[in-house]
Amino acid sequence: MKSKVVKLLTSERWEILDGDGQPTGRTMRRGENCLKSGEYHLVVHIWVLSENGNFLLQKRAADKKLMPGEWAATGGAAIVGETPYEAAHRELKEELGIDSTPETLVKITRLKRRNSLVDVWAITVDRPAESFVLQKSEVDCVRWVTPQEFREMIHQGKYHNYGKDYFDAVFAGIEDYRSATV
């Protein structure tokens, strides 16, 4: 079974995009390092929020190649043919068992990172942490934290360091999202 999963992951294909997010007509296989300067692939991050303002955080599985055992954003890379929403919907459903619609899953910003365009999404879900259906190959556990607890985790290095610009943009996007959905 494990070799089947490894084969599936290494056969995953990503679209190569220009700096404006437009397809270049080329694709790459997951794990390849063929991006030229000014080329990107699409990544989605999804922030799960509660009505009272808390954040659902996820801890990555300990055997993940990238960021093993770290508290990090829900998400992953879009595969060839997926829209940004479809990628976010799929990752949210796979990793946490949360179903979404275009009305409930809202894009709050796009960030240009070193070799990826990161579309950041938000969704409001009110359920106990233990009710989420976790994809054990991706997610070890989840927990709800207050905004203050989350900021403390970031400050103390207990949450993956995406960088100040990333967190500033995410917190601003979430503030706008909350204002629009209240």
Side-chain angles (χ1 to χ4, degrees):
M1 175 68 169
K2 189 169 185 173
S3 64
K4 192 175 188 178
V5 171
V6 170
K7 183 175 177 139
L8 179 65
L9 290 177
T10 56
S11 66
E12 184 176 294
R13 297 202 67 81
W14 301 340
E15 287 189 79
I16 298 175
L17 309 172
D18 67 18
D20 294 323
Q22 297 304 308
T24 63
R26 296 178 31 242
T27 64
M28 63 186 273
R29 182 173 283 115
R30 179 188 193 110
E32 286 180 338
N33 189 9
C34 64
L35 293 173
K36 299 173 186 166
S37 178
E39 292 183 333
Y40 303 87
H41 71 99
L42 181 64
V43 173
V44 294
H45 285 182
I46 305 100
W47 290 90
V48 180
L49 310 163
S50 70
E51 286 287 339
N52 64 358
N54 292 336
F55 291 79
L56 183 75
L57 302 185
Q58 76 173 45
K59 186 175 187 181
R60 293 173 58 83
D63 61 351
K64 293 295 296 172
K65 184 176 179 179
L66 182 65
M67 304 178 327
E70 288 190 47
W71 291 96
T74 299
I79 56 177
V80 170
E82 280 186 318
T83 65
Y85 166 77
E86 289 167 340
H89 172 82
R90 176 183 50 79
E91 290 289 350
L92 187 61
K93 182 74 169 168
E94 286 176 357
E95 293 186 12
L96 302 176
I98 299 172
D99 209 359
S100 66
T101 66
E103 293 75 33
T104 60
L105 184 60
V106 177
K107 182 175 158 185
I108 59 173
T109 193
R110 171 173 275 182
L111 303 168
K112 191 179 285 188
R113 308 281 285 182
R114 182 176 35 140
N115 64 351
S116 59
L117 298 176
V118 181
D119 280 358
V120 182
W121 299 77
I123 188 168
T124 301
V125 178
D126 275 309
R127 294 183 0 208
E130 59 275 5
S131 73
F132 294 97
V133 179
L134 308 183
Q135 182 183 21
K136 286 301 187 179
S137 62
E138 296 280 338
V139 182
D140 179 56
C141 63
V142 295
R143 73 178 198 182
W144 287 107
V145 297
T146 66
Q148 182 177 344
E149 290 170 319
F150 183 42
R151 288 180 189 273
E152 269 304 302
M153 288 178 72
I154 295 167
H155 180 72
Q156 295 171 357
K158 295 179 180 177
Y159 192 87
H160 182 73
N161 184 5
Y162 291 107
K164 182 182 181 330
D165 291 344
Y166 173 89
F167 287 115
D168 287 349
V170 166
F171 285 126
I174 287 172
E175 189 173 312
D176 291 345
Y177 165 77
R178 288 194 183 285
S179 297
T181 57
V182 179

